[in-house]
C-alpha cells in the first residue's frame, strides 16, 4: 500500500514519535496532516516537509476537545491512516500517594483523546475503502511496574481501545494496529513525566547503551502501515536490546 494520494493524520505531531512518524509517512508518499496543541511546532514541521517536496498540513488541535475534533474531521477531504500518538505520562508516584488529577488527565489524553479522534475519523477511514488506525500504546499497556500507576492504567486503556475496536470493525476495510514501545528516549517524555526535573528524567535512561529513538518507533509504525492492506499487524512490541521487560534493564553504570 503506497501513499500517492493518501492522507495520514498524526496526533501529537509536535515532537518525539509523532513528529518522526510524520516525517517517515511523508517520505513514504502520504499527505500528512500534523495535529497537536502547539501550532508553531507543527507549522514549522509542515513547512520543512513541504519545502522538501512532501505534502504536509498543520492543524492545531487538542484531542481532548471533542467539538474541535469533530470540526477537524469535517475539514478533511479524506483520511486513510490515523496515527493515535498523542499522550504521555504525568508523575511516577506510588498508588498510595499519586494525585488523582494526574490519573484523570492521563486517561483523558491517552484514552478518551484517542477515542474522540478515532470515532470522528472512522467514517472517512471506512469510506476510503482501505483504512488504518494505529494506536501507540506502550509496554506499559501490557504489564505494570512500581510507580507506573496512572500511566500503566491509561495505556492498558489504550490497548483495550485498539483490541475492542479491531473486534468490532472486523469485516470493514479498516485495520487496527497497536504499536507498544518500551524505553524510548525522546526530548520530552521523561521530562514531562517528572514535570521539568531534568535530573530525574535523565535517570530513566542512565547507563542504557541505546534506548530506542523516536525515529526507531516511527520506522516501526511506517513498516506496519505500509504492509499490504490484508496484512494486519495486530500488536507489535518494540524495546531496545538492553531492555528485556518493563523492570529488567541493563545499565552500564
Ligand atoms: C513508555 C514506556 O516504561 O516508561 O511508554 O512506561 S515506560
Amino acid at each position: 500500500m503506497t501513499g500517492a494520494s493518501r492522507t495520514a493524520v498524526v496526533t501529537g505531531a509536535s515532537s518525539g514519535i509523532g513528529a518522526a512518524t510524520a516525517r517517515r509517512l511523508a517520505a513514504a508518499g502520504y499527505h500528512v496532516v500534523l495535529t497537536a496543541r502547539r501550532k508553531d511546532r507543527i507549522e514549522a514541521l509542515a513547512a520543512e516537509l513541504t519545502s522538501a517536496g512532501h505534502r504536509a498540513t498543520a492543524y492545531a488541535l487538542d484531542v481532548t476537545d471533542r467539538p474541535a475534533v469533530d470540526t477537524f474531521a469535517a475539514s478533511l477531504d479524506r483520511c486513510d491512516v490515523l496515527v493515535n500518538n498523542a499522550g504521555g505520562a504525568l508523575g511516577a508516584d506510588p498508588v498510595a500517594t499519586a494525585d488523582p488529577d494526574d490519573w484523570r488527565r492521563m486517561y483523558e489524553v491517552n484514552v478518551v483523546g484517542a477515542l474522540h479522534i478515532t470515532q470522528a475519523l472512522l467514517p472517512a477511514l471506512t469510506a476510503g475503502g482501505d483504512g488504518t488506525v494505529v494506536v501507540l500504546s506502550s509496554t506499559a499497556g501490557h504489564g505494570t511496574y512500581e510507580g507506573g500507576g496512572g500511566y500503566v492504567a491509561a495505556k492498558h486503556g489504550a490497548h483495550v481501545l485498539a483490541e475492542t475496536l479491531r473486534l468490532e470493525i472486523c469485516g470493514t476495510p479498516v485495520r487496527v494496529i497497536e504499536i507498544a514501545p518500551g524505553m524510548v528516549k525522546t526530548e520530552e517524555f521523561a521530562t514531562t513525566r517528572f514535570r521539568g526535573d531534568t535530573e530525574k528524567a535523565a535517570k530513566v535512561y542512565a547507563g542504557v547503551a541505546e534506548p530506542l529513538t523516536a525515529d526507531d518507533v516511527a520506522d516501526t509504525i511506517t513498516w506496519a502501515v505500509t504492509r499490504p492492506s490484508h496484512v494486519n499487524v495486530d500488536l507489535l512490541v518494540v524495546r531496545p536490546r538492553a531492555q528485556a521487560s518493563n523492570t529488567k534493564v541493563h545499565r552500564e553504570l
Side-chain angles (χ1 to χ4, degrees), residues 67-87:
V69 167
D70 288 337
T71 302
F72 165 67
S75 77
L76 292 177
D77 290 338
R78 61 182 297 144
C79 179
D80 304 284
V81 176
L82 164 63
V83 181
N84 278 301
N85 165 73

Side-chain angles (χ1 to χ4, degrees), residues 20-110:
T21 302
R23 283 198 169 90
R24 286 256 179 192
L25 289 176
Y30 284 89
H31 167 212
V32 288
V33 181
L34 299 92
T35 74
R37 286 175 300 170
R38 290 176 295 183
K39 196 166 182 249
D40 52 335
R41 286 209 177 205
I42 51 173
E43 281 181 346
L45 180 51
E48 177 199 314
L49 292 171
T50 305
S51 65
H54 303 308
R55 294 185 63 211
T57 309
Y59 191 110
L61 183 67
D62 178 348
V63 289
T64 67
D65 180 345
R66 183 55 185 261
V69 167
D70 288 337
T71 302
F72 165 67
S75 77
L76 292 177
D77 290 338
R78 61 182 297 144
C79 179
D80 304 284
V81 176
L82 164 63
V83 181
N84 278 301
N85 165 73
L90 284 178
D93 308 285
V95 170
T97 55
D99 183 345
D101 281 339
D102 284 346
W103 282 55
R104 274 188 207 100
R105 178 70 191 153
M106 285 188 278
Y107 195 82
E108 193 66 30
V109 181
N110 290 284

Side-chain angles (χ1 to χ4, degrees), residues 138-140 145 151 181-182 189 193:
S138 165
T139 47
Y145 57 90
Y151 182 64
F189 177 80
R193 180 171 218 171

Side-chain angles (χ1 to χ4, degrees), residues 17 136-140 179-184 212 217 236-239:
I17 294 169
L136 250 290
S137 64
S138 165
T139 47
I179 307 288
M183 184 184 283
V184 186
L212 295 179
V217 181
L236 195 157
V237 176
V238 54
R239 300 182 195 266

Side-chain angles (χ1 to χ4, degrees), residues 22-23 29-30 68 106 158 169 223 228-229 247:
R23 283 198 169 90
Y30 284 89
M106 285 188 278
I169 65 173
W223 174 81
S229 308
T247 52

